[in-house]
Every structure is written in structure tokens, then in C-alpha cells.
Amino acid sequence: LEKETGVEVRDVRPSSAKTVATMPTMDVGAAGLDAAIVHPTDGAPMVLVPSGPFRMGTDEGDPDEGPEHEVLLSAYYIDVYPVTNARFAQFLNETKTQQDDAGHLYVAIGDDTAIRQAGGLYVVQDGFEDHPASHVSWFGAEAYCLWSGKRLPTEAEWEKAARGTDRRAYPWGNDEPPTSPAAGMKRCNANGVAIATTPVDQFPDGASPAGCYDMAGNVLEWCADWFQSGYYARSPQKDPTGPPAGTDRVCRGGCFHYDAWSVRVTYRVNMDPAHLIQPTGFRCVMSA
């Protein structure tokens, strides 16, 4: 992680956890917050997105991507990578269930999925441990966040981590991802690069300004917000959390079978929160 983000990493897990060596604290700004940490529950590396404004949305995309507007966010930590199959299987095994009290399934499980059941445990197909958890419902993503002591990002938090403060179209800049697999493998898993998911650390040249991987392509990522077209025109400027109610939740980032237009950082997808068919995954955040 230090090589990938350029900052020292502080391990905040308990000493009894399986861990790497604890790194010195690196302060960021007057708040004295660590620039990068390892989360104590799931061991996921996280990076700090400092407080401050950014431009959200665009007037040059689909109608529901605008209007472009300024948003002020408090500081937060966000996972460097989407939650992997290995981490999601750990969550299922520790909670010993794959659905909530209302019967909402957390993830599609079967012989044709990466996560399966064997010997009373949830296991990951060999070779897919570091791929992003896929075909996860919003309820499954939310349950994982509650188990780990984190939460799903708001749309605004997701977008700021993906694009930074310079209004870029993609996590790496404004150039479209190439269609050639040989060239595209260093940017993102989309636009014809692959026909299925890839490991979450596969695209170092596609990292966002915050240092996050896979914020374009691979799997769609659930956000906390309800979806509502036109919401941007009336959303609060500081720490918006989306409409108070709705029928669909927001997904961001696109997935491996999307084209270049659909993996832009402002592109929005609305989806039934119980949906398990599309390659949907997620990453977590927590307030700093």
C-alpha cells in the first residue's frame, strides 16, 4: 500500500490481529489525521480524503448528472480497494448468515459464482480471492459495513474520492480508457478490456487522486443514497446524504462490461437495492 499511495501506513488493528508492522503516524494538515490506516475489523487499507470543497456532477453528461454544483465535505476515510471476495466471505462466516431479518439476500451464491458454500462455510473459488465481491445487494453491502464498523459512502463522498478537486472525467484524468486490453490493463477493467472481474490491485495507472483503485470499471459500487433524478438542483451544499426516501439506490463507477462513457466519475446508475443479477460490489468509508 505504501508503494501504491506514496504515504506511510498506520496499522490501527489490535495487536492480536494478523497484521503487518505498525508504521509511523503521518499527519495531514492541521487536523493531524493519519493519511492512511489499516481498518481494525476487516484489515482493509483506507486513505484519508481531507475536508474541503469539490465540484460534483457535470452539465455535459446525462440529465441526471447535473447540474454541476459545489459540495463541501467533512474529512473521511475510504477503502483503497473494493471489498474483495475473501473479505466478504469472512463477513458471511463470522455472521453465519447470508440474509437479513427481512429476508433480503446479501449476495448471489452458487456453483457459477465466486463465493460458494462448502462444508458449512462460505468459501471463495480458487483464484478469485482478490477479485471484488460481486452480485452483492445493497442490503449485503450495508450489512458488511455495519459488521465492520464502517458505512457505505454517500454519492458525494464516492465522487470526491474518485475525481478529486479538478473536475476530471475519470479517476486518472480526462483521457478515455483505451479499448485494447494490452493498453487498458493499466487503467481500468472496462471498455472491452476483459469479460469478467479482475483483481482489485490490477490497475495502478487508474488510481484516483485519493489513491483509490477500481473507481472505474470492474464492479458497480453501491452508495448509501436513494436515487432521485433532479436531486442535485436542491441538495444541501454541506455533507449531502441524498433524498430522504426512494425506491432505488445509487451505484457508481460502472463495471467490466460498460463502455467509456459509463465509467466516468459522474455517471449514475439507479438499481433495486435487492438486486443480485448485475456485477454490483462496494467499498466502505468512515468519518475521520
Side-chain angles (χ1 to χ4, degrees):
L1 177 63
E2 288 182 299
K3 292 179 181 178
E4 295 165 357
T5 63
V7 297
E8 293 178 307
V9 180
R10 183 185 177 209
D11 193 330
V12 298
R13 289 178 292 179
S15 58
S16 60
K18 186 176 180 181
T19 181
V20 297
T22 300
M23 300 297 176
T25 298
M26 172 176 277
D27 291 340
V28 176
L33 296 169
D34 297 307
I37 63 171
V38 176
H39 193 268
T41 300
D42 63 2
M46 306 184 79
V47 288
L48 176 71
V49 181
S51 62
F54 83 108
R55 299 294 295 181
M56 183 175 182
T58 179
D59 297 321
E60 300 174 356
D62 293 341
D64 64 15
E65 296 177 45
E68 182 180 316
H69 57 293
E70 183 171 281
V71 171
L72 177 64
L73 291 180
S74 302
Y76 59 98
Y77 287 97
I78 187 167
D79 288 347
V80 172
Y81 308 109
V83 171
T84 61
N85 286 315
R87 288 197 168 97
F88 202 81
Q90 177 192 359
F91 151 70
L92 293 174
N93 284 320
E94 291 195 13
T95 58
K96 295 180 172 57
T97 183
Q98 59 171 308
Q99 63 182 25
D100 62 20
D101 292 341
H104 299 118
L105 295 175
Y106 291 160
V107 62
I109 293 176
D111 292 340
D112 58 348
T113 62
I115 298 179
R116 301 145 182 220
Q117 287 182 292
L121 294 174
Y122 297 94
V123 298
V124 181
Q125 181 184 356
D126 288 346
F128 285 82
E129 293 85 356
D130 291 335
H131 287 232
S134 183
H135 303 284
V136 178
S137 70
W138 184 91
F139 297 101
E142 175 79 350
Y144 179 99
C145 289
L146 292 172
W147 164 79
S148 65
K150 297 187 274 189
R151 58 181 173 82
L152 285 172
T154 65
E155 268 203 277
E157 288 171 331
W158 190 98
E159 188 171 319
K160 185 179 182 182
R163 79 184 312 195
T165 59
D166 60 4
R167 303 171 64 237
R168 61 183 60 192
Y170 298 95
W172 56 83
N174 291 312
D175 295 335
E176 288 190 1
T179 56
S180 164
M185 286 299 282
K186 291 188 176 181
R187 282 280 171 85
C188 70
N189 180 11
N191 209 31
V193 166
I195 60 172
T197 61
T198 48
V200 296
D201 61 353
Q202 190 79 45
F203 310 102
D205 291 348
S208 75
C212 298
Y213 283 45
D214 270 4
M215 299 201 84
N218 221 359
V219 293
L220 288 150
E221 297 187 15
W222 290 109
C223 293
D225 306 39
W226 291 106
F227 178 89
Q228 188 178 87
S229 185
Y231 174 72
Y232 286 2
R234 54 186 177 276
S235 64
Q237 183 183 31
K238 182 173 173 56
D239 294 326
T241 57
T247 56
D248 290 353
R249 298 282 184 174
V250 176
C251 282
R252 289 300 203 102
C255 63
F256 61 84
H257 63 71
Y258 277 26
D259 60 12
W261 177 263
S262 304
V263 296
R264 293 173 299 110
V265 291
T266 56
Y267 191 77
R268 308 172 71 209
V269 176
N270 57 299
M271 200 169 294
D272 181 341
H275 197 78
L276 294 172
I277 300 173
Q278 287 287 343
T280 46
F282 65 103
R283 73 183 72 218
C284 309
V285 302
M286 64 180 187
S287 301

